[in-house]
Amino acid sequence: MTDKDIILGKGILGIHFGMLPSEVEEKLGKADHVKEYSLSTEEASTTLFYDQKGVSFTFESIDQYKLSYISVYNDCYKIFKFIQVGLAKKMLLDELEHFQLGEPEFKNAFSEEFPTHELLFFPNENLHLWLDNQQISEIQFGPFFEDFKTIVWED
């Protein structure tokens, strides 16, 4: 295992789900930039962007600002030494059975700004593969869930 491995349900780069923003910055240094989002009147999130590394870390108020999602934009990081940004959709679908991720759910996410945007979602793995122009453009993953509402946080 290397620091370039994406460990589903756990994390990447020595960062694991359940960490606080200060703990991530202690390990990786100050983020290149930080964005705060208001999801609703009751919910908000903060995202730390590490542009040089090609990753971002999202902390949600509903989870007491513990690390809730990681997004990967760089092709140096891989799941099972195969799934990575830039991988063609056809190659991914041809090889999926070898990875035991379960059946993906497909969602058309086209918009005027992103006319080829689509999503492959693996609910049991809390894994989102965003595609543009028939290839992975972003990998987004989160912690595993014990049941529909209970997150399995790392210790």
Side-chain angles (χ1 to χ4, degrees):
M1 203 173 309
T2 73
D3 65 344
K4 302 295 185 188
D5 291 335
I6 295 170
I7 310 301
L8 297 177
K10 300 212 183 283
I12 191 171
L13 295 170
I15 305 300
H16 59 82
F17 295 109
M19 292 178 92
L20 298 172
S22 59
E23 294 172 309
V24 171
E25 287 191 317
E26 188 175 302
K27 275 196 154 292
L28 297 181
K30 187 172 167 41
D32 293 316
H33 60 284
V34 178
K35 286 192 179 175
E36 295 189 12
Y37 304 92
S38 178
L39 307 172
S40 71
T41 55
E42 295 89 34
E43 292 183 45
S45 71
T46 300
T47 301
L48 304 179
F49 291 89
Y50 288 85
D51 299 328
Q52 299 292 327
K53 295 183 183 311
V55 296
S56 66
F57 302 93
T58 299
F59 307 83
E60 296 181 334
S61 62
I62 194 166
D63 297 323
Q64 295 77 46
Y65 286 100
K66 292 180 181 178
L67 178 57
S68 304
Y69 281 97
I70 298 172
S71 295
V72 175
Y73 315 100
N74 189 314
D75 66 0
C76 72
Y77 305 106
K78 297 179 182 179
I79 303 170
F80 308 128
K81 301 195 183 321
F82 178 72
I83 301 170
Q84 68 188 77
V85 169
L87 181 66
K89 178 182 177 181
K90 181 181 179 353
M91 186 176 277
L92 172 68
L93 296 177
D94 287 347
E95 299 295 326
L96 266 184
E97 67 187 48
H98 301 291
F99 300 110
Q100 300 177 348
L101 294 170
E103 284 297 314
E105 295 179 14
F106 293 86
K107 182 178 180 183
N108 175 342
F110 300 169
S111 68
E112 191 173 311
E113 186 179 1
F114 299 102
T116 64
H117 209 51
E118 56 187 314
L119 170 66
L120 271 74
F121 174 60
F122 298 86
N124 293 338
E125 303 297 328
N126 199 4
L127 172 63
H128 300 78
L129 300 176
W130 293 95
L131 297 109
D132 286 288
N133 299 313
Q134 300 292 307
Q135 62 183 8
I136 298 173
S137 57
E138 177 183 344
I139 297 170
Q140 184 182 55
F141 64 110
F144 292 143
F145 283 79
E146 187 175 307
D147 55 44
F148 182 69
K149 288 186 166 189
T150 310
I151 295 174
V152 179
W153 296 113
E154 284 294 302
D155 294 326

